[in-house]
Amino acid sequence: MAAPRSLVMDTGRLMKDEETAAVEDSPTSKKPAGAKLDGRYPLTGWEFTVALSVFLVFTVGLFCIYLTMPAAAEYGKLKLPRSISDLRLLKDDLGTYASIYPTKFILGYCSTYIFMQTFMIPGTIFMSLLAGALFGVKGIFLVVFNATAGASCCFFLSKLIGRPIVLWLWPEKLKLFQAEIAKRGDKLLNYMLFLRITPTLPNLFINLASPIVDIPFHVFFLATVVGLIPASYITVRAGLALGELNSIKDLYDLKTLTVLFLIGSISILPTVLKRKRVYE
């Protein structure tokens, strides 16, 4: 009689081990803290080749645009701004150039902004401030256009090769995001507007994760165009008073964040009212 009992215990232990292995092998399961440092890369050789090729095409195009600009040698000090002081110097260097060659300046500005947004290069906040400093409130149209174009390029790039990267960097956050998206149904646009207007989730994560959780591009696009307007307006207005700005942290104080959350709450109001009617 001992043999059957032992067999049952061994079988139970084997099933438990298999379940544990299945959980550990799940791509969305939580990895140990050192999992990112095990020497393995999230992209396959083919995916890395595609990403590198797209990056090189963008880089070559950006370089060609720079070479076509007149008197490029006179602007050899140009660089991507990384601080408010860099931005003030850049504004002084580009002010005259932008007024003399507005079309070519805008072409170079848009190409740089979209390139940075597509490949998740930090610093687009400084580009938005620069638009306000050089063009005033009208710069909001330039910022919204570039931010939307760059986010759209990032969306399609992530659709092509982004899944392993997002699963590698944010497995738990992606799982929660997918669960929230599944709840929204026909109110998905309202939810995406709320995320874009408020700093609930980083824009970087939204751009990369949206195609992975099957958010339709037209919903992503509309939410991006409309949802980025409030934050872009705040940034462009700050660019007008660049001399009074000490750091990026000054842009989003408690008052500003409260206003953004109030605006974002309006976007999800239809969903709340619908749920109330259903409950009643």
Side-chain angles (χ1 to χ4, degrees), residues 151-173:
S152 299
C153 290
C154 188
F155 178 96
F156 287 112
L157 186 62
S158 180
K159 192 177 184 68
L160 184 64
I161 61 170
R163 180 178 294 272
I165 297 176
V166 178
L167 288 174
W168 183 55
L169 292 174
W170 306 291
E172 292 300 323
K173 185 180 289 187

Side-chain angles (χ1 to χ4, degrees), residues 201-218:
L201 285 176
N203 282 324
L204 170 61
F205 175 79
I206 296 174
N207 294 342
L208 288 173
S210 292
I212 297 173
V213 298
D214 297 324
I215 294 176
F217 177 69
H218 70 276

Side-chain angles (χ1 to χ4, degrees), residues 6 56 78 84-85 89 93-94 96 101 118 126 128 131 136 148 162 164 174 187 215 230 241 244 247:
S6 176
L56 289 176
L78 297 184
I84 298 298
S85 57
L89 293 175
D93 292 337
L94 287 178
T96 304
Y101 307 103
T118 300
F126 294 108
S128 300
T148 303
L174 180 64
K187 298 300 181 181
I215 294 176
E244 302 174 7
S247 70

Side-chain angles (χ1 to χ4, degrees), residues 197-254:
I197 294 172
T198 63
T200 306
L201 285 176
N203 282 324
L204 170 61
F205 175 79
I206 296 174
N207 294 342
L208 288 173
S210 292
I212 297 173
V213 298
D214 297 324
I215 294 176
F217 177 69
H218 70 276
V219 173
F220 175 87
F221 180 82
L222 287 174
T224 302
V225 172
V226 179
L228 291 180
I229 291 176
S232 299
Y233 177 77
I234 291 171
T235 308
V236 168
R237 284 294 302 268
L240 285 169
L242 197 59
E244 302 174 7
L245 196 63
N246 296 319
S247 70
I248 295 299
K249 294 180 181 180
D250 296 341
L251 283 175
Y252 297 103
D253 54 12
L254 181 60

